[in-house]
Amino acid sequence: MLTIQNVFNSTLPLILITAFGYVVATVGMKGAASGMLLPGIALAVFGFLMAFAAEVALMRQTHLSVIYILVLGVETVIVLGFAFGIGEGFTLRQALGALVVLGGLAIVAV
């Protein structure tokens, strides 16, 4: 059962590692698409393996629906930060859309 203590003791670090792994894979895919094919592929594979391992550990602790919502929310925030950091900012419309997605995830998670 997912409790607040469980989230902060063991689930939260695994959620962060899973989300970060997916972000690393996304950065690798962006690199591969930008002409750095082999380093991009290597980074994407590393990110997916990191996310895979952490998510398997998470699935031993709690329900898939909870994992998916939390990982997706954290991953969304990190990827948006990365995109903004490399100069791929977003329009007001996109920012509002991201807020709607994150708000929806928060509503479903509670």
Side-chain angles (χ1 to χ4, degrees), residues 66-90:
V66 173
I67 294 169
Y68 186 76
I69 291 168
L70 293 174
V71 169
L72 187 58
V74 172
E75 179 187 357
T76 300
V77 170
I78 295 172
V79 169
L80 288 176
F82 172 74
F84 188 74
I86 64 169
E88 290 189 6
F90 39 88

